[in-house]
Amino acid sequence: MKKIYTPLSQSSIKSLKAGDEVLLSGVIYTARDLAHQQMLNKIVKGKRPPIPLKGQVIYYCGPTTAPKKRVIGSCGPTTSSRMDAFTPALLRAGLLGMIGKGSRDSSVKEAIRRHRAVYFLAIGGAGALLASKVKECRVVAYKEFGPEAIYELKVDDFPLIVGIDSRGGDIFRLCQKGG
Amino acid sequence: MRTVYAKDITKTVAGLCVLANVRLREDVHKALFSALAKETNARAKSILKALLDNAAYAWENKLALCQDTGLPYVFIELGQEVSIRGGDLISAINKGIERGYKQGSLRNSVIRHPLKRDSGSCFSPGIVHVDITRGDHVNLAVLPKGFGSENKSAAVMLKPTAGLEKIVEFVIKSVKEAGANACPPFVIGVGIGGGFDQAALLAKKALLRPIGRKNRDKVLARLEKRLLKQINGLGIGPMGLGGKTTSLGVNILTSPTHIAGLPVAVNISCHVLRSASKRL
């Protein structure tokens, strides 16, 4: 299985193909609907978003509270398509990777291809197992949003499948009859 | 009259909220196991295996199975010979949800106002459905409903003469639209009859019935079997990445309706179908 590290670069993800299984290590940032909306508002106004975007990976995730003696609670992916409207602008701003579940619309696919980025799938509904791969977790922005805040996660061998590769190859096109 | 104290309802609901979120339902567990045995697609098999590993890890570490610990639904069958003392029923339930979600480190996914979404999220209120029954027992069932799949649920008001084919068509269309986004393999609750609201409630209540328990109504049992077979022929598979495991079970509930209509609702649950119940 391929191992990849954040921050990503176009050359480090060039060889990834839709359907490849990879283990990701390094820092990733969680962001859901509300955080995306806020970040986009900043970008549109020409202001800096609260996290660095260049070469970074955003994880569509709102974790449960960390129980005692644990780094994080359950932390699986949420439905990516809800973020579709915000994604092309973030890719334009330098974002190179996203992690979520489910398919993306054509504008996202096109933006991924244009910016040579990558979209990964994590197993939906396996949030407990994924929590065991998170080594550090801290809130870095929008603390008031609770589970919708932006958390900086340090992950180690986080198991992913390439959903859409930098050439626009889409796993859902490859895997499904008529889906 | 039998007295049941509000504080006991609170305590029970709190315990059920935690249990439902950290322990995969036995019937769902069994269904995943048997799907793994039957599945031939290598990727689908490895995902099903990861889901079973996830259930084991969650239970062992008392960690939520999924970070979406749901919109808490509470279904109560309240015996008419029960008198509740020491507080009102609905507050007792919501207190139980608050306590359970805090104790279990579950997620505060409830928004108090659907449009003013800026005040932060909380644990309660849950959605409470009360049925008055005979006798002096209280049955409490907690169903934390994940919203990725809830978002893909649908209802339709069919013509009274539409018949089975149109019902099948609507269910299949709803499952196709849910696709990869709602965490397949699904458990499908179908409500037929009643009015617009009742059909949807039946679809939700159908999710409480254990998967694999045969419907007592022969016509419905046949329809469930047919739908399950057809859905598993769609090729969506676990995570939407192909395979023959698109649904673990289809449960149908019906109710009397009006001569002019045939309401049908489809409530989709992800594979992490959670519920826990207790009789007081």
Side-chain angles (χ1 to χ4, degrees):
Chain A
M1 211 176 301
K2 269 180 203 157
K3 289 199 178 218
I4 45 171
Y5 301 88
T6 64
L8 306 175
S9 67
Q10 279 163 342
S11 61
S12 72
I13 55 175
K14 199 168 71 181
S15 66
L16 297 178
K17 283 203 183 69
D20 284 354
E21 292 184 15
V22 301
L23 295 171
L24 180 80
S25 298
V27 165
I28 60 176
Y29 296 94
T30 70
R32 290 172 49 99
D33 312 59
L34 211 48
H36 271 79
Q37 201 177 33
Q38 299 284 331
M39 279 198 285
L40 201 71
N41 282 345
K42 291 230 162 168
I43 291 171
V44 167
K45 287 179 192 155
K47 290 183 185 161
R48 279 229 314 244
I51 52 166
L53 288 174
K54 202 171 160 42
Q56 301 298 331
V57 176
I58 285 182
Y59 182 22
Y60 305 139
C61 171
T64 59
T65 322
K68 271 183 198 150
K69 292 182 187 167
R70 293 198 71 97
V71 172
I72 194 170
S74 194
C75 58
T78 194
T79 311
S80 308
S81 59
R82 294 201 316 272
M83 267 52 80
D84 282 353
F86 308 110
T87 297
L90 295 181
L91 289 169
R92 246 193 324 274
L95 183 74
L96 269 187
M98 296 145 287
I99 306 170
K101 69 172 165 94
S103 51
R104 310 302 305 260
D105 71 11
S106 55
S107 71
V108 173
K109 258 185 255 182
E110 173 54 27
I112 287 174
R113 205 185 52 77
R114 188 179 321 130
H115 299 287
R116 304 261 183 273
V118 61
Y119 166 57
F120 297 107
L121 302 172
I123 299 183
L129 210 55
L130 291 169
S132 69
K133 308 291 181 190
V134 178
K135 304 303 165 192
E136 285 170 37
C137 168
R138 68 183 182 106
V139 181
V140 289
Y142 309 134
K143 189 166 191 272
E144 65 279 16
F145 296 166
E148 296 214 68
I150 297 183
Y151 293 85
E152 183 187 87
L153 309 183
K154 194 155 179 266
V155 299
D156 194 16
D157 284 347
F158 203 72
L160 302 169
I161 302 170
V162 178
I164 301 171
D165 62 40
S166 57
R167 289 177 194 83
D170 180 358
I171 195 169
F172 294 107
R173 261 195 149 162
L174 303 170
C175 286
Q176 267 178 43
K177 12 171 181 166
Chain B
M1 286 303 259
R2 177 183 164 222
T3 300
V4 170
Y5 289 96
K7 66 173 174 31
D8 292 326
I9 290 175
T10 297
K11 195 178 154 195
T12 305
V13 168
L16 292 174
C17 286
V18 178
L19 190 65
N21 272 297
V22 302
R23 189 183 67 180
L24 190 64
R25 241 167 68 170
E26 203 183 327
D27 59 314
V28 180
H29 205 270
K30 269 190 195 159
L32 283 172
F33 252 114
S34 80
L36 176 62
K38 283 184 213 152
E39 185 58 73
T40 47
N41 178 310
R43 168 115 58 201
K45 274 179 109 76
S46 87
I47 295 166
L48 291 171
K49 204 180 156 296
L51 298 180
L52 288 163
D53 289 346
N54 183 66
Y57 188 86
W59 178 236
E60 206 176 296
N61 294 282
K62 302 293 174 285
L63 206 55
L65 288 152
C66 175
Q67 75 291 339
D68 183 0
T69 54
L71 182 60
Y73 277 79
V74 180
F75 295 94
I76 318 163
E77 287 169 18
L78 182 64
Q80 60 186 9
E81 284 155 46
V82 170
S83 159
I84 293 168
R85 297 267 174 87
D88 74 280
L89 177 65
I90 304 299
S91 307
I93 288 169
N94 283 319
K95 248 191 241 175
I97 293 171
E98 287 278 334
R99 192 186 293 171
Y101 270 64
K102 256 179 229 160
Q103 279 172 356
S105 299
L106 306 175
R107 197 174 76 180
N108 44 333
S109 312
V110 177
I111 288 279
R112 288 274 160 98
H113 192 290
L115 299 178
K116 298 183 233 162
R117 306 184 78 101
D118 53 356
S119 56
S121 49
C122 32
F123 296 113
S124 70
I127 295 184
V128 182
H129 292 290
V130 186
D131 284 329
I132 305 293
T133 56
R134 280 188 187 184
D136 62 359
H137 291 288
V138 179
N139 265 318
L140 285 160
V142 171
L143 186 145
K145 184 65 176 68
F147 238 69
S149 55
E150 190 71 3
N151 276 339
K152 299 293 177 183
S153 300
V156 65
M157 305 303 277
L158 293 176
K159 290 192 178 99
T161 52
L164 274 189
E165 295 312 311
K166 288 285 173 197
I167 295 175
V168 170
E169 204 177 284
F170 180 68
V171 176
I172 298 296
K173 186 179 132 221
S174 305
V175 172
K176 273 189 184 168
E177 275 171 21
N181 293 352
C183 283
F186 308 126
V187 181
I188 315 282
V190 182
I192 306 172
F196 178 69
D197 52 341
Q198 177 73 359
L201 181 57
L202 289 170
K204 171 103 346 84
K205 279 188 174 175
L207 296 175
L208 289 169
R209 197 179 96 209
I211 302 168
R213 184 187 288 173
K214 205 170 174 191
N215 200 316
R216 280 189 215 153
D217 182 319
K218 276 185 189 161
V219 174
L220 298 181
R222 266 205 302 278
L223 183 56
E224 287 173 355
K225 209 173 156 188
R226 176 182 166 188
L227 282 167
L228 184 62
K229 196 174 169 200
Q230 230 168 302
I231 291 167
N232 282 331
L234 293 174
I236 295 170
M239 272 178 87
L241 301 182
K244 52 184 167 190
T245 317
T246 299
S247 173
L248 300 172
V250 178
N251 288 349
I252 304 175
L253 278 179
T254 61
S255 121
T257 185
H258 190 276
I259 48 171
L262 178 59
V264 179
V266 178
N267 196 197
I268 294 187
S269 171
C270 58
H271 54 79
V272 198
L273 169 57
R274 287 149 289 180
S275 68
S277 59
K278 195 173 177 182
R279 189 173 192 180
L280 286 181

